[in-house]
Amino acid sequence: MRKFALAIHGGAGTILRSSMTAEKELAYKQALEDAIIAGESLLIKGGRSMDAVEAAIRSLENNPLFNAGKGAVFTNDGKHEMDASIMNGKDLMAGAVASVQNIKNPISLARAVMEKSEHVFMAGIGAQEFAKKINAEFMPDDYFFVQQRFDQLQEAKKEDKMILDHTVDKEKKFGTVGAVAIDQHGNLAAGTSTGGMTNKKHGRVGDTPVIGSGTYANNKTCAISCTGHGEFFLRAVVAYDISCLMEYKGLSLKKACDIVVMDKLVKIGGEGGLIALDAKGNIELPFNSEGMYRASKKEGEELFIGIYKD
Ligand code: ASP
């Protein structure tokens, strides 16, 4: 039996102590801890990393604090279009959905694409039809209405640009959620879920549902889930690049993460971060932004929760 380990993120960005209240900080920390517990309670019983990743992400999707599921940001035309993906490191099976609406838990729909269809990636109306067929849980528009996100859209429209999930006080924040895990059987899994970017155009898709960019898992190397400015993460093929540096260059997880997040992404202007875990259970949580909501738990060790850089 191997030791399990689990890491999650709730988005990266300009998260400053100065713009945080004690109450808000507590709420974020509690939400991160709840998500860790959702995954850990399965892993501790010998459960699979895929189930732990899905459970942790569902917990974050159900919380309006994060830009995924219930808290998904608004598109330019006032809708919510969500993206998600999940990957199993054991057999490289993967599932993803893009631009889905009214789905309560897009991560579970992504998993259903993997397990119940012959496809890997489904988008838009086709993905919605598939969701109906497998009886996925749909929610009405008002379930996804969060006043703060609506205010963000008005701000973004004023500036006439697509804005990353920031708050009204101009705090810049990418609220995407994700999880990576290794179970006691030594299998890795990764998943990511997002509403994308505030004021994004109808049909815009970022890195989150793209296997190899926003999410990747391979038992030979690592499990990765990203958060940040999707256009840059797509162009840098971030998650697979880290796996490749480990597989073909023999780099450690830490070194591979450093090169991609702190050098390659920075050089092209890609702000954000990621959570990473290797086959030995090592965890890395690198980010080149001011902060990243993050938490991790290794079997038999203390829970770690972090928000800011220091
Ligand atoms: N990566 C996501 C996207 O570009 C945004 C985020 O991480 O919050 O859609």
Side-chain angles (χ1 to χ4, degrees):
M1 278 289 199
R2 303 273 283 274
K3 285 198 169 174
F4 72 76
L6 168 72
I8 59 166
H9 70 76
T14 314
I15 307 160
L16 300 170
R17 261 202 189 87
S18 53
S19 53
M20 181 73 89
T21 63
E23 204 185 17
K24 223 163 94 180
E25 187 170 322
L26 204 69
Y28 275 109
K29 285 187 169 164
Q30 188 59 55
L32 292 169
E33 188 174 344
D34 289 348
I36 286 279
I37 291 170
E40 185 192 11
S41 59
L42 300 175
L43 292 171
I44 215 161
K45 292 186 293 202
R48 295 163 57 196
S49 51
M50 282 290 284
D51 295 328
V53 161
E54 184 184 357
I57 293 178
R58 284 176 67 100
S59 167
L60 295 163
E61 282 177 339
N62 294 343
N63 192 316
L65 287 176
F66 304 101
N67 170 20
K70 181 164 176 52
V73 296
F74 282 91
T75 61
N76 173 264
D77 47 3
K79 302 220 164 71
H80 304 280
E81 294 182 1
M82 299 172 285
D83 308 326
S85 63
I86 190 162
M87 185 163 186
N88 190 347
K90 186 183 175 190
D91 51 14
L92 306 185
M93 292 289 282
V97 290
S99 300
V100 294
Q101 295 184 20
N102 300 93
I103 302 291
K104 186 176 182 213
N105 294 111
I107 194 66
S108 298
L109 185 59
R111 185 164 181 184
V113 169
M114 172 185 142
E115 291 176 345
K116 298 181 181 160
S117 84
E118 52 186 341
H119 306 303
V120 169
F121 199 170
M122 297 185 76
I125 295 169
Q128 307 269 129
E129 280 169 13
F130 171 73
K132 277 185 201 140
K133 242 187 232 152
I134 60 139
N135 286 321
E137 199 170 349
F138 279 75
M139 292 306 244
D141 287 345
D142 58 5
Y143 170 79
F144 298 92
F145 185 91
V146 175
Q147 187 64 46
Q148 182 203 327
R149 301 267 186 257
F150 187 72
D151 296 341
Q152 284 173 352
L153 174 64
Q154 308 318 313
E155 282 290 314
K157 277 189 158 174
K158 255 190 254 158
E159 293 171 34
D160 194 26
K161 62 176 189 203
M162 180 170 78
I163 294 188
L164 298 149
D165 175 30
H166 62 47
T167 59
V168 267
D169 53 0
K170 293 254 189 289
E171 177 190 319
K172 199 166 134 205
K173 181 165 74 61
F174 317 77
T176 291
V177 307
V180 292
I182 181 166
D183 58 32
Q184 292 176 337
H185 317 283
N187 291 320
L188 300 180
T192 316
S193 179
T194 191
M197 286 162 69
T198 300
N199 202 23
K200 69 180 182 182
K201 294 283 183 299
H202 171 55
R204 178 266 184 190
V205 178
D207 61 313
T208 301
V210 179
I211 297 299
S213 264
T215 303
Y216 191 72
N218 184 340
N219 276 5
K220 275 210 254 178
T221 53
C222 58
I224 309 279
S225 168
C226 301
T227 171
H229 196 146
E231 277 67 12
F232 296 91
F233 280 65
L234 276 168
R235 286 163 50 209
V237 203
V238 170
Y240 187 58
D241 199 20
I242 291 174
S243 176
C244 285
L245 286 169
M246 295 176 72
E247 185 171 1
Y248 303 126
K249 258 193 149 183
L251 298 191
S252 67
L253 181 73
K254 183 172 182 358
K255 186 85 190 117
C257 285
D258 271 356
I259 290 174
V260 175
V261 180
M262 303 304 185
D263 187 39
K264 285 177 125 177
L265 270 173
V266 172
K267 278 184 183 140
I268 60 169
E271 188 186 354
L274 54 86
I275 51 171
L277 191 148
D278 69 13
K280 292 185 199 122
N282 294 309
I283 292 174
E284 294 295 329
L285 310 167
F287 52 95
N288 61 36
S289 46
E290 287 296 331
M292 181 170 81
Y293 293 105
R294 59 202 186 277
S296 63
K297 179 83 203 309
K298 288 186 183 179
E299 188 172 348
E301 293 185 21
E302 290 283 297
L303 167 72
F304 165 79
I305 297 184
I307 298 179
Y308 316 102
K309 212 181 261 169
D310 44 283

